[in-house]
Amino acid sequence: MDINWAMIAPLFVIQGLLLIFALLDWAKAEDYRGSKWMWLFIIIFISMVGPVLYFLFGRKR
Amino acid sequence: MQWMTLLKKELIENWRNRKFIWVPLVFILLAIMEPLSTYYMPEILDAVGGLPEGTVLDMPELPPGDVLMLSLAQFSSLGVLLIVLLSMGTIAGERKSGVAELILVKPVSYTNYITAKWLALFILVFIAFLLGLAGGFYYTTILFGELPMSAFFYTLLFYSLWLAFVVTISIFYNTIFNSPGLVAFASIATIILMSVITQVFGHVLDWSPNQISAYLSQMMVEETVSKDLIATGLTTAGMTIILLVLSVIMFKRKELAN
């Protein structure tokens, strides 16, 4: 069985979108819970979960 | 109308803090990963390695209905957790930061405030679930075989009732506790407790909201909507309405006491 990459591509596209939106928001945000640069590492290096953690806990209202 | 203004405020806020973007994206990811990883399991095991040479893996052929239920199981665990976490501060946080006071100083009715919050949250969750389910359904039909469209719509309808219930539980605790952490903890604890009670007393609690997934799974096999599923849906809707009324009452009490 061959892996059909066209089938899996959307998975990477959505992950990429999550990453991009998290980074855009991170760049614009003013108040962070914890350090700003720590969140950058979390967003980039923990795939999938990182951006979600940032959106949930990273910003102050 | 005041209620529309409050709802609009909530929707705009959810748009500004990107919830309308990232929550649907995460739900889609959760849903499409299941059929994909199930389908490519032999390749994944192969790539990870560790199996002795010549091992023959006999993966059972799953019917498409079961695969869609796997996606739904993701919503039941991680999806519910996500809903609770993103709603834990919706009222509790506003109270803490003083925004709630700013709003409630004006002649805003408590009922409007709570129901607008509730609906805004449900709209967000529903859109995320709709897109996620559509993604899961799409991949399931491509990789595992056709499913009737009715399976999609019934799952959408009945599972939305369960998600509405989850949203209401979170709103309810939001009206009681001032700390978002406590709201999340109480909501999760309640949902886990309900599922334990349903498992232990399952023979009596035929129509417990926690049974919705089980009846949906049965619907996939039999391709008919059972009476139990409808009754469970109605019970869930009823409990949601009661809990919402209770939320308004609790909120009123608490605000008047202050």
Side-chain angles (χ1 to χ4, degrees), chain B residues 34-243:
Chain B
E34 279 303 316
L36 276 173
S37 62
T38 310
Y39 188 75
Y40 285 116
M41 193 48 87
E43 272 72 18
I44 294 172
L45 289 177
D46 216 31
V48 174
L51 294 172
E53 202 59 40
T55 314
V56 180
L57 284 170
D58 224 3
M59 293 285 166
E61 281 274 312
L62 283 174
D66 285 9
V67 179
L68 193 64
M69 291 312 292
L70 286 178
S71 295
L72 220 57
Q74 289 290 311
F75 292 145
S76 296
S77 49
L78 291 173
V80 166
L81 181 67
L82 200 68
I83 293 171
V84 169
L85 287 178
L86 68 87
S87 61
M88 63 184 178
T90 183
I91 298 167
E94 276 199 354
R95 260 191 194 149
K96 224 178 185 178
S97 61
V99 176
E101 276 172 1
L102 277 180
I103 296 172
L104 292 167
V105 162
K106 301 181 189 109
V108 168
S109 104
Y110 295 117
T111 314
N112 284 352
Y113 180 76
I114 298 286
T115 49
K117 283 262 181 208
W118 180 87
L119 187 63
L121 192 58
F122 180 66
I123 289 174
L124 171 69
V125 168
F126 181 77
I127 290 175
F129 173 57
L130 171 69
L131 294 174
L133 185 67
F137 192 84
Y138 178 74
Y139 270 99
T140 303
T141 47
I142 286 184
L143 296 172
F144 292 88
E146 288 290 313
L147 270 172
M149 257 337 250
S150 61
F152 176 82
F153 286 111
Y154 287 132
T155 310
L156 184 68
L157 173 68
F158 286 104
Y159 204 77
S160 294
L161 290 174
W162 164 247
L163 292 178
F165 185 60
V166 172
V167 164
T168 320
I169 289 176
S170 176
I171 291 282
F172 176 69
Y173 284 117
N174 257 292
T175 61
I176 296 184
F177 300 125
N178 283 344
S179 143
L182 207 54
V183 172
F185 174 77
S187 308
I188 299 284
T190 304
I191 293 164
I192 292 176
L193 193 71
M194 276 184 63
S195 117
V196 170
I197 291 176
T198 306
Q199 270 168 25
V200 176
F201 300 104
H203 49 292
V204 206
L205 300 173
D206 272 340
W207 300 339
S208 157
N210 296 64
Q211 304 268 35
I212 279 193
S213 292
Y215 290 132
L216 279 174
S217 160
Q218 191 185 343
M219 178 209 68
M220 300 280 177
V221 179
E222 293 171 358
E223 298 196 351
T224 49
V225 177
S226 63
K227 274 198 188 109
D228 280 333
L229 180 57
I230 296 173
T232 309
L234 289 176
T235 314
T236 311
M239 285 173 77
T240 302
I241 294 169
I242 293 171
L243 204 56

